[in-house]
Amino acid sequence: MTDPQRTEADARPAAVLKGLGTYLPPRAVSNDELSERLDTSDEWIRTRTGIRQRFWADPGTATGDLAVEAGARALKSAGVDGVDAVVLATTTPDHPCPGTAPWVAARLGLGPVPAYDVAAVCAGFVYALASAAGLILTGVAERVLVIGAETYSGILDPADRNTAVIFGDGAGAVVLEAGRADEPGALLGFDLGSDGEQHDLIAIPGGGSRQRAASPYFTMQGKKVFAQAVTRMGQSSTALLERLGWPKSSVDRLVGHQANVRILHAVADLLDIDRERAVVNLDRVGNTSAASIPLALADAAGAGELRAGERVLLTAFGGGLAWGSTALVWPDITPN
């Protein structure tokens, strides 16, 4: 017998993932290269972060350039030429003003569609997904291009080994379309949160209206951030899974923000999810902030580690403090 409540729930409108594209700048920066100018070593970096290389953009290459490349590949992956809106998550926009998203939309030939930036640091991609899903569910758009793109190499203090060894540049994008919750790829729900009382744990002090002459470099209080990241991603993921009625044991792949391999493993442990089910690609690309989740998804799907029909949990934590989670059943798509 068919459960009418179940059928109604499955048929509700949803934003559905239809395409995935990524882009990394060509220059790979190894731990050994950084060790030549910093008081560090390959072993020190790998044991504390899990990172062995990252990619940095060349001078003259901006976040928008990376976003255009990833966006074009996501459109190709989805087999579409246009969208009704563009949402770009980034901490490193091309300019303080105007936003980078309108320029990206123009470069992609998408016409006068609404386009805007989302600033939620490393949680930015999940926030952008939630924003795009809102556009779809309210009827503003049928199809949205969501991009996470960063050029962190331009905001790092080259003498600070605590940040200079962690971050990389890159971009990842997805195409969302209006569909139903029972379709593979449907974003089934969100859990979002923030704590502005701890805004100073991750920050760029200068450049804004509060401290115009302060340091323009990215700063992070690593030990406090570690504890907050594990706690907040764990709590957010648990809240979302309970709302969806997904037992933790039913999650096939945990795709967390790629900040630190110890954080990813700690979150998996907190959720009673085997560490082997936690997707890790930061060893090859570093922490790419808002770009990290789509880059990790593309790597896992391309390597056959993420297969159609699997339950996937996405969770992220970043400056603000801000955090968020979403979940989906992985669709049969080919990343580009």
Side-chain angles (χ1 to χ4, degrees), residues 116-299:
Y116 56 92
D117 295 1
V118 170
V121 197
C122 297
F125 188 73
V126 174
Y127 268 72
L129 288 176
S131 179
L135 294 177
I136 290 172
L137 294 177
T138 55
V140 174
E142 286 287 317
R143 184 184 297 140
V144 182
L145 177 63
V146 181
I147 308 172
E150 304 284 11
T151 49
Y152 258 68
S153 58
I155 61 171
L156 298 175
D157 181 347
D160 181 5
R161 74 169 183 172
N162 292 314
T163 57
V165 303
I166 295 174
F167 292 90
D169 302 340
V174 298
V175 173
L176 300 181
E177 289 186 357
R180 295 170 22 137
D182 57 357
E183 293 182 57
L187 301 179
L188 300 174
F190 289 90
D191 180 85
L192 305 174
S194 73
D195 179 7
E197 294 292 336
Q198 301 190 75
H199 67 279
D200 59 330
L201 297 190
I202 301 172
I204 301 174
S209 62
R210 187 167 298 280
Q211 300 181 64
R212 292 181 174 89
S215 170
Y217 292 128
F218 177 90
T219 64
M220 181 172 64
Q221 298 180 40
K223 291 183 179 180
K224 292 182 179 180
V225 168
F226 187 105
Q228 284 290 319
V230 173
T231 299
R232 298 301 191 178
M233 285 195 284
Q235 291 174 340
S236 177
S237 296
T238 298
L240 177 65
L241 293 175
E242 290 178 352
R243 196 178 312 146
L244 296 179
W246 283 16
K248 294 174 181 177
S249 59
S250 73
V251 175
D252 296 300
R253 288 293 171 183
L254 169 64
V255 185
H257 162 55
Q258 304 287 302
N260 179 307
V261 71
R262 293 186 297 142
I263 289 176
L264 293 172
H265 286 164
V267 172
D269 293 345
L270 191 62
L271 296 174
D272 294 322
I273 294 174
D274 291 341
R275 290 183 177 185
E276 291 73 18
R277 286 188 276 156
V279 171
V280 177
N281 80 329
L282 64 85
D283 56 321
R284 301 182 296 280
V285 301
N287 179 343
T288 56
S289 190
S292 74
I293 285 181
L295 284 168
L297 287 171
D299 274 2

Side-chain angles (χ1 to χ4, degrees), residues 70-104:
R73 296 181 183 194
L75 293 170
K76 184 177 180 181
S77 171
V80 299
D81 296 322
V83 295
D84 304 307
V86 176
V87 183
L88 171 64
T90 187
T91 312
T92 55
D94 290 3
H95 309 281
C97 174
T100 304
W103 183 84
V104 171

Side-chain angles (χ1 to χ4, degrees), residues 10-122:
D10 288 351
R12 73 185 188 275
V16 181
L17 192 154
K18 293 292 186 179
L20 171 61
T22 61
Y23 179 74
L24 292 167
R27 181 191 171 201
V29 179
S30 68
N31 291 345
D32 288 335
E33 179 178 339
L34 294 180
S35 299
E36 293 176 0
R37 60 178 176 80
L38 291 169
D39 180 20
T40 189
S41 66
D42 173 64
E43 181 182 7
W44 188 91
I45 298 169
R46 282 189 293 104
T47 55
R48 285 161 178 77
T49 69
I51 299 168
R52 55 184 172 83
Q53 73 169 18
R54 72 289 295 144
F55 292 82
W56 284 355
D58 293 328
T61 298
T63 294
D65 299 315
L66 306 186
V68 167
E69 293 289 345
R73 296 181 183 194
L75 293 170
K76 184 177 180 181
S77 171
V80 299
D81 296 322
V83 295
D84 304 307
V86 176
V87 183
L88 171 64
T90 187
T91 312
T92 55
D94 290 3
H95 309 281
C97 174
T100 304
W103 183 84
V104 171
R107 280 280 304 275
L108 289 170
L110 299 176
V113 299
Y116 56 92
D117 295 1
V118 170
V121 197
C122 297

